[in-house]
Amino acid sequence: MNKTALNDVHERAGARMGEFAGWWLPIDYGSAIREARAVRDSAGIFDVSHMGRLEFLGADALSVLQMLFTNDAGRLEDGAGQYTLMCNAEGGVIDDLIVFRKSEDHFLAVVNASNLENDEAWMFGLIPPLVTLVDETLVTSLFAIQGPRSAGILAAAGLAEAADVPRFHFVLGQIAGNEVLASRTGYTGEDGFEIACRNDSAEQVWAALLDAGQEYGLAMCGLAARDILRIEAGLPLYGHELDENTTPVEAGLMRWVKLEKGDFIGRDAIEDRVRRGPSRRLLGIQMHGRPVPRHGDVVQTPVGEGAVTSGAFSPTLGHGMAIAYLPPEAVEGMPVEVSIHGKNHPGLVRNLPIYRAQGK
Amino acid sequence: MYPDNVKYTKSHEWVRVADKMATIGITDYAQEELGDIVNIELVQPGSTLSAGGLLGSIDSVKAVSEIFSPVTGEVVEVNDELETAPELINEEPYGSGWLVIIKMDDPSEVDESMSSEEYERFIEPE
């Protein structure tokens, strides 16, 4: 089991720890609901060092990424990033990730912890000898600061330039004398940043951020809050909404597939699926009360059956909520029944995301 | 956190007896293990249950778990407040977070449940 550089810090802070994707991580620091609310109202900080971080180096790096990923990395300038997908020849999603351009021959990809090994195996077979792939996951740490007050906290921690970084861009700077890479990205549906640093700086950077965040109501948050927030924000989690038998067409991710950019792995299959239309669609469900749908629960709709991929209690709505694959004819407002723990509970179809941050 | 005016079960319910009436809840250990409780579904008042019968289910942030009745009898009252405020179970597991009151067929049934000392040993052996 991998442990992050902050394992002792979390345990001292009273975190309830648990296993996720081969890592020992904070699940919550007492109350996931309170942590999720802090992110919506002010800010939260997460240790997400389990996320895989891969660097691509070499003159041909861009052409490799263009072949591996569905989005158009050719549009990236230095300091910019984009959400993208890696698909197999059948168009099935191998992973979803964010790729950043550090310079014209240097890119950084942030991938799912659960897929890191599989991604590397897939990439190694497809990367030419002149492009070097470096796995930085175990030598660096990654923290997410999420919530409306995130930029203020980074400024208070000495990274004033963060406030001017556009969404999906990054800046290199210093926190408490340590080099960091701060990108305006996240997994909560709020404004926020993800901050990477070397493992030997991790404790100092974390402490400086907590310190700066004190007057902003910054809360330490675990994976349970992260899951609630990403479901509210309609963001897919690999293994739930995405897998190798799901194409970006069903998952509603075609905005991040650039069919016109030229050839890439999975292109023909995805084009074909677009032509034929998807057999299911990813949609949201808001329950009438508090019942909590879980992965795998069956959904009855007036136009056929579907299945829950993720569910949680939404502290923001005060209702149970779910993301589900439903028949393609399902539309917002349709009544559904979700079979939860052997009993049917009513809800309504919602477009994703179920929650959208104010001002977006 | 384990008051001695109640008895405890191996499935982490507590029961407080006054005459034939048994008030039932889940223990502090159980609510701590479950984490934030976000929904609860309980049997209807008027239902009759055997000891070990299903009393309801509790949704926490992590998972759904079942709650069992430590005693046999008729459910005479259900804590309605939990419908809109299930977090009371986290906040006051032995107080406002109680679940149901059961009129027991045989009050001596609870004699088999654990005392607070026994329960503490049960959850933290050595």
Side-chain angles (χ1 to χ4, degrees), chain B:
Chain B
M1 288 310 280
Y2 304 102
D4 45 20
N5 61 343
V6 306
K7 297 280 225 167
Y8 299 85
T9 70
K10 287 186 175 171
S11 46
H12 308 290
E13 291 89 14
W14 57 259
V15 51
R16 186 166 50 227
V17 179
D19 290 329
K20 292 190 114 186
M21 297 299 176
T23 306
I24 294 161
I26 66 165
T27 67
D28 186 54
Y29 174 83
Q31 70 79 18
E32 180 72 42
E33 283 293 297
L34 288 171
D36 288 324
I37 291 165
V38 294
N39 185 43
I40 180 147
E41 304 208 358
L42 294 167
V43 292
Q44 298 291 323
S47 326
T48 52
L49 288 172
S50 309
L54 194 63
L55 202 59
S57 62
I58 289 191
D59 272 297
S60 72
V61 164
K62 311 194 249 208
V64 59
S65 353
E66 294 180 330
I67 326 154
F68 301 97
S69 175
V71 299
T72 304
E74 184 192 344
V75 177
V76 292
E77 206 179 332
V78 169
N79 186 352
D80 291 333
E81 264 191 86
L82 300 179
E83 225 169 90
T84 49
E87 63 273 13
L88 291 174
I89 301 169
N90 291 118
E91 290 162 7
E92 296 185 328
Y94 305 107
S96 60
W98 65 276
L99 305 179
V100 298
I101 299 174
I102 291 180
K103 186 177 172 193
M104 289 185 288
D105 291 354
D106 173 13
S108 72
E109 211 171 28
V110 291
D111 296 349
E112 291 159 34
S113 304
M114 288 180 274
S115 69
S116 61
E117 282 166 12
E118 286 166 333
Y119 182 65
E120 268 186 84
R121 274 201 301 279
F122 172 70
I123 55 176
E124 280 166 31
E126 294 311 295

Side-chain angles (χ1 to χ4, degrees), chain A residues 70 254 257-264 267 270-271 274:
Chain A
T70 60
M254 288 304 291
V257 178
K258 303 293 185 230
L259 293 170
E260 70 286 359
K261 77 170 180 172
D263 198 23
F264 60 88
R267 182 175 183 271
I270 294 170
E271 245 181 337
V274 170

Side-chain angles (χ1 to χ4, degrees), chain A residues 25-55:
Chain A
L25 293 162
I27 304 299
D28 65 56
Y29 295 82
S31 166
I33 299 285
R34 186 172 42 76
E35 292 161 24
R37 287 206 176 103
V39 170
R40 294 281 177 245
D41 296 341
S42 47
I45 183 167
F46 305 72
D47 182 359
V48 290
S49 300
H50 60 296
M51 299 293 293
R53 291 176 297 285
L54 298 171
E55 305 233 343

Side-chain angles (χ1 to χ4, degrees), chain A residues 122-263:
Chain A
W122 174 260
M123 289 168 177
F124 277 131
L126 296 162
I127 290 180
L130 286 176
V131 172
T132 309
L133 183 59
V134 184
D135 184 340
E136 293 276 315
T137 310
L138 295 178
V139 294
T140 57
S141 293
L142 187 67
F143 310 139
I145 291 222
Q146 302 282 297
R149 309 191 79 178
S150 300
I153 293 168
L154 287 201
L159 209 64
E161 57 268 44
D164 301 321
V165 177
R167 190 139 173 77
F168 275 95
H169 286 64
F170 72 85
V171 63
L172 299 171
Q174 286 204 342
I175 293 177
N178 300 284
E179 305 284 335
V180 300
L181 182 154
S183 62
R184 201 158 203 161
T185 49
Y187 196 45
T188 61
E190 294 295 333
D191 186 21
F193 298 84
E194 288 170 307
I195 294 154
C197 64
R198 309 298 300 179
N199 279 346
D200 53 18
S201 321
E203 280 207 36
Q204 280 188 15
V205 172
W206 179 267
L209 290 168
L210 272 186
D211 204 38
Q214 215 159 28
E215 59 180 304
Y216 293 85
L218 179 66
M220 286 187 282
C221 302
L223 289 184
R226 186 169 155 87
D227 197 47
I228 291 167
L229 293 160
R230 69 100 192 158
I231 295 171
E232 286 185 342
L235 299 168
L237 173 61
Y238 198 89
H240 288 252
E241 286 71 35
L242 301 175
D243 58 39
E244 294 201 11
N245 299 313
T246 302
T247 78
V249 184
E250 291 87 56
L253 298 176
M254 288 304 291
R255 268 178 67 195
W256 295 278
V257 178
K258 303 293 185 230
L259 293 170
E260 70 286 359
K261 77 170 180 172
D263 198 23

